[in-house]
Every structure is written in structure tokens, then in C-alpha cells.
Amino acid sequence: MGAIITSAMVLSACVTNVEEGNPEGWEAIVPAEVPEISALVPDEIAARGELTMGTNPPFAPFEFKDSDGSIIGMEVDLARAAAGVLGLELRPVEQDFAMILPAVSASTLDFGGSGFTDTEERRENYDFINFLYAGVQWAQQPGDNIDPDNACGLSVAVQRTTVSETDDVRPKSEDCIAQGKEPIEVLSYDSSDTAATALVLGRADAFSADSPITAWAVERSEGRMELTGEMFQAAPYGYAFTKNSELGYAFAQALQYLIESGDYADVLAQWNIEEGLLDQALINEAPIPAATDYLNP
């Protein structure tokens, strides 16, 4: 893996975690506190004055590090705007992706924000405050003719434990075996940029990731990658909170405020995300219920 990262930095910083910073024309969008919404924040968190968000850069444009090592990205910006509505500061906390949700359960993190797809399985233990719809998208080297629906015998790079691995590539590989064909060689990496770099260097035949991630990597690959096939498995993204928590409910109301004010669309537009936006805040793909129904199920 070390050789891959080093080579990638020589090839192009654009498919690694090395970025100059925010997009051209970017500006911070942090609304003032809205008292009737901030009043919903649990007292101990309000007294602390900050929200801790577990995240796993690099997963650009959702979250990654700039040249100074600060964690930035669309998902960070949106969470920071919601925190502003709640009268709080946002503190992103870098964590291994697979450990974020357990940390939320253990209350060592307030919530998780790391490109989480809101799935039925995850909903069994967490509530997701949805903020975007997107799907899975594959990429290939230019000129290849790879079909994501006919990839038996190929090698595909993914970020470990993401939906691309668990719900896309591994099930397809199992289907190949069931058909008596060669399985897909699943190349699992700790980060999406390393997986993309495996494709750039020819270590993998294809790269599977969430559609905004793949599009971002292709755009910055200087022609070394291209999209292949259509986006599929469209699903909601969400910030992960413990189930039926006061904080999750407050955050959902803050997001609803951002949608109504236009700040939500403005934050996403700065990262060139203009599709899959919501017209109302959702919890597990459902409109925000009354507080009495949500907090006392």
C-alpha cells in the first residue's frame, strides 16, 4: 500500500488525500444560532459548546484533508452549518471508518458523518438524518470497456466496509461463482483515494465507489480515469445518530432550517453537487415526526 500511495502522489495529487483546499470561490456558510432550534439540544452538549463528528478522510468531496491537514469537505461544511443553527461549534474527529458507528453507540462521538449510506441494516441501531441521494458508480482506465454488470474475472478496487464492497462488488463476485464463472477479485483499501489510485496504476481493472466520490476522482485524475456504466443502487446518505436521540432530532430540525433558508443548496453547490438534493429534511427517509413521537417511540 505504501508504494501505491507514493506513486500516486507522483502521478497526481488529484486522486489522493493531498488537496490544495476548498474549491475556487468557496466561502464559509455558517448561519447564526436559531434559539427555538438550539433549545432542542441536550443540556450537556449545549454546555460543552461543540459537536464531535466522526469521519474518515479521504472521501472527497465529502471529507478530506487540505494541504494544512485540516479536515474539509461538503459533508463537513453542511454539518458545520447545522451546528451553527444549534449554537454549537463542529469538531471533526478522524476515525477508522469501521469504528465510527461503534463510537457513536458508545457516546465517545456525538454522531458520524463519513459518506454513510442509509441502509435498513444500519437503521436497526442508528437513525440517519438524510441529506442527499446518490448511488454507486464505477470507473475504468480510458479506452477500456468494462461493464459493472459483467465483471466476472476482473479486479475491482473499493474502500473497505463501504457499500461498494458489501452491497456491490462482493455480491456480484458471489453471483459469478454461482454461475460457474471466475469470481471478481475484490481489492479492499482503507481509503477511497488509495482504491482510486490502484486503478490509475493498473493494479485494478475498475474502481467502485459512491457516485460523488467516483465523479470527484475522475474529474481530478488528469484523464487517467473515466466513468463506465450508469449510476445504480441509488440510496440516501445520512449523518448517523443514536436512535431516537434528542440530539438527532435537533440536528434534523437544523437541517430543515438550512433547506428552507437556501443555505443547504448553497453549501452543496460550492462542491458542484446539484443533483439528489432533498426538499425537506428526512430521518431514515421519512419526514421529521413530532418530537413526542420521535423521542418516545
Side-chain angles (χ1 to χ4, degrees):
M1 184 181 300
I4 291 176
I5 294 173
T6 302
S7 300
M9 293 177 70
V10 172
L11 279 171
S12 171
C14 301
V15 290
T16 71
N17 193 28
V18 180
E19 297 277 356
E20 289 298 319
N22 293 304
E24 183 177 355
W26 177 93
E27 60 180 7
I29 300 176
V30 183
E33 178 180 354
V34 179
E36 58 268 31
I37 300 178
S38 64
L40 301 172
V41 176
D43 291 342
E44 64 272 18
I45 295 176
R48 190 205 313 157
E50 69 172 15
L51 287 177
T52 55
M53 181 182 83
T55 192
N56 178 235
F59 201 60
F62 284 71
E63 44 267 331
F64 59 98
K65 292 181 181 179
D66 64 14
S67 56
D68 295 326
S70 299
I71 301 175
I72 63 173
M74 177 275 289
E75 197 167 9
V76 178
D77 284 353
L78 187 59
R80 182 169 286 114
V85 173
L86 298 174
L88 302 169
E89 298 289 331
L90 179 74
R91 181 164 67 88
V93 178
E94 184 172 3
Q95 187 119 19
D96 182 271
F97 183 80
M99 297 305 298
I100 294 173
L101 294 182
V104 173
S105 294
S107 299
T108 56
L109 291 172
D110 292 324
F111 69 105
S114 195
F116 283 110
T117 303
D118 173 4
T119 66
E120 290 292 342
E121 181 180 3
R122 287 171 174 166
R123 285 181 196 173
E124 293 178 4
N125 297 301
Y126 306 94
D127 282 333
F128 288 87
I129 312 306
N130 305 125
F131 63 87
L132 186 72
Y133 275 88
V136 175
Q137 177 72 60
W138 282 34
Q140 63 182 14
Q141 289 196 341
D144 288 350
N145 188 26
I146 291 176
D147 180 2
D149 293 323
N150 187 24
C152 299
L154 300 180
S155 58
V156 182
V158 296
Q159 180 177 358
R160 197 183 322 276
T161 74
T162 61
V163 167
S164 281
E165 177 179 21
T166 60
D167 293 20
D168 175 28
V169 182
R170 290 200 182 279
K172 285 177 177 174
S173 182
E174 292 169 2
D175 188 54
C176 291
I177 295 172
Q179 296 179 48
K181 299 179 180 179
E182 287 293 318
I184 296 173
E185 183 183 4
V186 185
L187 304 178
S188 300
Y189 296 93
D190 289 334
S191 65
S192 61
D193 70 315
T194 311
T197 298
L199 172 59
V200 170
L201 296 179
R203 306 286 178 86
D205 296 310
F207 166 56
S208 172
D210 298 349
S211 51
I213 308 308
T214 306
W216 178 274
V218 168
E219 182 180 344
R220 284 152 181 77
S221 70
E222 298 179 355
R224 297 181 177 91
M225 298 167 57
E226 64 182 13
L227 301 178
T228 183
E230 300 295 326
M231 184 189 76
F232 55 94
Q233 292 184 0
Y237 285 85
Y239 295 103
F241 289 80
T242 54
K243 292 197 71 67
N244 303 107
S245 70
E246 293 180 6
L247 181 60
Y249 189 81
F251 194 95
Q253 293 290 357
L255 183 59
Q256 179 64 35
Y257 177 87
L258 295 175
I259 291 173
E260 294 175 356
S261 70
D263 287 334
Y264 160 77
D266 290 343
V267 167
L268 270 62
Q270 291 194 132
W271 295 95
N272 199 30
I273 297 176
E274 299 181 347
E275 295 183 358
L277 276 65
L278 306 183
D279 56 13
Q280 63 176 323
L282 303 175
I283 302 178
N284 302 333
E285 284 193 283
I288 303 173
T292 52
D293 295 332
Y294 179 75
L295 301 175
N296 302 288

